[in-house]
Amino acid sequence: MTAMIEIRNLNKSFGGVTATDNVNLTVTKGELHAIIGPNGAGKSTLIAQLSGSLRPDSGTVIFKGRDITTKPAYTRARLGMTRSFQITSLVMEMSVLDNVALAVQARQGHSFRFLKPARNVSSIREDAMKMVRKLGLRKRADDPISALSHGEHRQMEIAIALASGAEMMLLDEPMAGLGPEESKLLIDFLLDLKGEKTILLIEHDMDAVFALADRISVLVYGKIIATGTPDEIRNNADVRHAYLGEE
Amino acid sequence: MKTLSKTGWLTFAVMLALAILPPVFFLTGNAFYLDLATRLVILGIAAVGLNLILGYGGLVSFGHAAFIGLGAYAVGIPSYHATWGGFDMVASYNGLFHIALAVGISALFALVTGAISLRTKGVYFIMITMAFGQMAFFLFQSLNVYNGDDGLTIDVRSELPFINLDKPLHLYLLSYVSLVVAMIVVKTIVNSRFGMVIKGAKGNNERMITLGYNTYIYRLTAYVISGAMCGYAGFLLGNFTTFISPDMMHWTRSGELMFMIILGGVSTVLGPVLGSSTFILLEEVLSSLTIYWHLPFGLMLIILVLFIRGGLMGLLIRKGR
């Protein structure tokens, strides 16, 4: 099995707080790897360092065999890695279709094209429409994003990551704030993607994690204390003590 | 045939009025109104140019008067040396050379200042663009060769093929056609894939970066285009006023330009033109009524901005629905 992303000896601290403590982790191609851990364990900080919005203090991030530790976020995206945000991050004043179209357009290389109206580029429009239909939002394609519900926003987050054509998706709490039914819909959506995309999933919803993950890593105070299959994690004494045991 | 939208009709009507009314006034002996129209059309070009980054890009540049000033000096300095000698490299009355110089210098100034300014965000961006504008202002204020603070009179206007800028009607028509072209250019850009990136970055820059767009480069490009358009407006303004001074670059001028856009309606192609028209006409009418015209002028502008969301464009489009 080939590695999609390899994290080696990653460290990051803010003042006296160690947010990432010598993290080593390999996610193989096609794997859905979940990271769980109590609040403040450094999960989002880890994602930020992988996606490029935060620079680690030390350590290396290798993506598809290339050292990307110092590469800016947009370069990483172009290499095939994208992320979704814990707090919905879409272009609110643009339409549903335009938001997806921007992701498709990004996949087609540079956008220094000044003449042809973007809406007339059929390769972009058709791909974007396909994705919108897949989300069941066809009737709302022209509505501004701000008119959608929270649940639809969460779906859009993933749809946009998907439309960008990235092979690897970093999903930061995609279920945050969703009701049980909406969660189930999203879990099904992600199950469909399994094997096709490499996914690093951060999630508090344990049902989702155990339903989806091939492997799980447990992060506590910036340190990975265990990595294994859902069953191994469920039965790991350290994990039960540090995390699950609290419930 | 595709029918025009409401905005389309409004644009058509306003532009038609601008094409017909001022020349008619001129030909019927009211030369003053052509003068007024020339000024508002030229400032309209600058406002349309600034709107590309301010309205569509969400980048509040507070230094765009500098580009207008640079464009005007690109007429004044070569013309001055062609008359009085010295600085042979630029001494010329050739209008095409003036245009190339005006656009080139402002694009270059935009590239250098934009490259630095665009590394900042929000209020810092506003402050740093204003600082660069003031830098240009003080630079020209200190250039004694060109009379510094007192300004420079342009004795000979730019010479263009087929067009005689000494004739008010020629100058007006050139300005008008330039405005139409500027509006088409901006409209085309904002609808293009490039424009989508600019607008996307306005709404959510981080998202755009995560998608793989190096938004900095896209914004810098838009900033340069915007600066070059204002430089071109400066070329026209220099030929119109035949007197240029560092005052054209002062930050209050940049503020007026911004105000025109907000008044007319940001992120619309016609808005800046409506804004510049209203601004200039109001200024004219009020100052003819009283010497204390600044107070009612300011109050009216504040009321307009406070109570009409989306500027005049918002008012006109909503009302007719």
Side-chain angles (χ1 to χ4, degrees):
Chain A
M1 286 229 269
T2 49
M4 181 60 92
I5 195 164
E6 257 184 281
I7 305 162
R8 290 187 197 150
N9 310 321
L10 207 67
N11 286 289
K12 177 83 193 171
S13 47
F14 300 100
V17 182
T18 310
T20 306
D21 189 357
N22 201 32
V23 166
N24 283 280
L25 181 68
T26 302
V27 181
T28 56
K29 199 169 178 220
E31 180 183 355
L32 199 155
H33 196 113
I35 294 181
I36 59 173
N39 282 325
K43 301 184 295 291
S44 289
T45 307
L46 183 62
I47 290 256
Q49 290 171 85
L50 299 183
S51 72
S53 40
L54 263 184
R55 195 63 60 81
D57 294 338
S58 66
T60 329
V61 180
I62 294 170
F63 179 60
K64 293 200 285 186
R66 290 177 61 165
D67 183 349
I68 58 158
T69 315
T70 56
K71 295 270 186 286
Y74 56 84
T75 307
R76 298 178 195 215
R78 245 178 265 160
L79 288 171
M81 182 205 294
T82 194
R83 66 168 296 181
S84 77
F85 292 85
Q86 189 177 347
I87 296 159
T88 303
S89 178
L90 303 160
V91 186
M92 285 295 164
E93 53 279 329
M94 280 190 173
S95 73
V96 171
L97 188 60
D98 280 343
N99 264 272
V100 181
L102 272 172
V104 179
Q105 186 182 318
R107 198 170 69 198
Q108 298 191 341
H110 73 82
S111 290
F112 281 97
R113 296 170 200 280
F114 296 89
L115 294 179
K116 192 170 181 183
R119 290 202 171 94
N120 296 354
V121 182
S122 53
S123 59
I124 295 177
R125 282 285 125 171
E126 282 161 18
D127 269 22
M129 203 59 208
K130 225 180 276 171
M131 180 58 66
V132 171
R133 235 177 262 138
K134 201 165 159 184
L135 285 174
L137 289 173
R138 197 166 71 90
K139 280 187 183 151
R140 314 197 58 180
D142 292 321
D143 288 356
I145 288 282
S146 50
L148 298 188
S149 70
H150 176 73
E152 287 165 332
H153 281 163
R154 301 314 296 169
Q155 275 184 300
M156 281 292 292
E157 276 283 333
I158 295 179
I160 282 170
L162 209 54
S164 75
E167 297 162 71
M168 166 125 209
M169 295 163 52
L170 311 169
L171 305 180
D172 194 354
E173 295 195 28
M175 323 279 170
L178 292 187
E181 274 180 27
E182 290 171 318
S183 280
K184 199 178 168 310
L185 256 150
L186 202 53
I187 291 172
D188 289 342
F189 194 77
L190 289 174
L191 274 172
D192 276 350
L193 294 178
K194 264 190 76 161
E196 189 186 330
K197 303 277 178 190
T198 310
I199 297 173
L200 189 65
L201 172 73
I202 289 183
E203 190 48 64
H204 275 302
D205 181 338
M206 286 305 137
D207 293 339
V209 168
F210 284 98
L212 286 165
D214 296 312
R215 286 196 302 158
I216 298 173
S217 291
V218 183
L219 199 66
V220 178
Y221 295 119
K223 233 187 193 88
I224 291 187
I225 61 163
T227 296
T229 63
D231 280 340
E232 285 166 7
I233 292 298
R234 210 177 267 137
N235 300 320
N236 184 309
D238 286 343
V239 175
R240 295 183 79 97
H241 176 71
Y243 189 67
L244 297 176
E246 290 171 8
E247 284 187 350
Chain B
M1 216 179 97
K2 233 174 79 176
T3 52
L4 278 173
S5 64
K6 191 149 278 167
T7 316
W9 277 113
L10 185 64
T11 310
F12 183 72
V14 171
M15 295 317 285
L16 193 69
L18 278 177
I20 293 171
L21 291 181
V24 167
F25 277 124
F26 179 73
L27 296 171
T28 53
N30 294 300
F32 169 73
Y33 290 106
L34 186 75
D35 248 38
L36 207 60
T38 311
R39 202 143 64 87
L40 69 84
V41 164
I42 292 173
L43 288 174
I45 297 170
V48 167
L50 172 58
N51 193 31
L52 177 63
I53 58 156
L54 190 148
Y56 294 101
L59 300 163
V60 181
S61 165
F62 213 144
H64 258 51
F67 300 112
I68 301 179
L70 286 173
Y73 272 95
V75 178
I77 291 175
S79 178
Y80 170 84
H81 286 295
T83 310
W84 305 102
F87 208 178
D88 292 335
M89 228 174 78
V90 298
S92 164
Y93 295 129
N94 186 340
L96 295 176
F97 171 69
H98 292 172
I99 293 176
L101 198 64
V103 171
I105 295 282
S106 8
L108 189 68
F109 188 66
L111 183 67
V112 174
T113 59
I116 299 165
S117 313
L118 287 167
R119 300 224 168 258
T120 64
K121 285 189 264 198
V123 179
Y124 301 100
F125 179 79
I126 301 176
M127 293 314 287
I128 198 166
T129 49
M130 182 172 149
F132 278 124
Q134 286 300 90
M135 251 172 61
F137 167 76
F138 285 117
L139 173 71
F140 279 89
Q141 206 180 34
S142 67
L143 286 179
N144 285 328
V145 212
Y146 309 118
N147 295 342
D149 222 2
D150 294 333
L152 186 67
T153 305
I154 298 174
D155 295 314
V156 182
R157 287 190 166 100
S158 306
E159 285 167 359
L160 285 169
F162 313 116
I163 302 170
N164 182 357
L165 294 182
D166 287 328
K167 295 191 173 164
L169 203 53
H170 283 208
L171 180 60
Y172 179 72
L173 289 176
L174 176 65
S175 304
Y176 176 79
V177 171
S178 303
L179 174 62
V180 173
V181 171
M183 289 166 77
I184 294 172
V185 165
V186 167
K187 178 90 181 156
T188 309
I189 289 178
V190 298
N191 283 334
S192 72
R193 277 169 271 185
F194 176 84
M196 291 300 283
V197 177
I198 293 295
K199 290 187 283 185
K202 172 193 178 183
N204 194 333
N205 192 35
E206 196 181 1
R207 160 61 70 190
M208 294 301 283
I209 291 172
T210 325
L211 285 176
Y213 294 107
N214 180 1
T215 50
Y216 173 76
I217 295 294
Y218 290 92
R219 285 176 155 174
L220 184 57
T221 308
Y223 194 77
V224 169
I225 295 171
S226 164
M229 287 175 76
C230 285
Y232 178 78
F235 157 82
L236 291 172
L237 198 62
N239 274 297
F240 171 63
T241 57
T242 65
F243 171 75
I244 52 181
S245 76
D247 187 50
M248 297 170 86
M249 305 187 186
H250 198 252
W251 67 270
T252 51
R253 298 282 165 183
S254 302
E256 283 176 14
L257 209 56
M258 274 168 53
F259 206 95
M260 291 174 191
I261 297 177
I262 296 162
L263 178 65
V266 289
S267 316
T268 59
V269 175
L270 186 64
V273 182
L274 285 180
S276 74
S277 307
T278 313
F279 191 93
I280 300 284
L281 291 176
L282 265 183
E283 189 183 62
E284 195 55 47
V285 171
L286 289 175
S287 63
S288 70
L289 294 175
T290 163
I291 55 163
Y292 305 109
W293 61 275
H294 284 103
L295 182 65
F297 185 55
L299 286 175
M300 275 174 92
L301 294 180
I302 289 171
I303 290 167
L304 276 171
V305 172
L306 270 181
F307 294 104
I308 328 174
R309 284 185 59 86
L312 294 169
M313 276 305 275
L315 182 75
L316 291 168
I317 297 300
R318 254 198 309 273
K319 215 178 162 188
R321 199 178 276 166

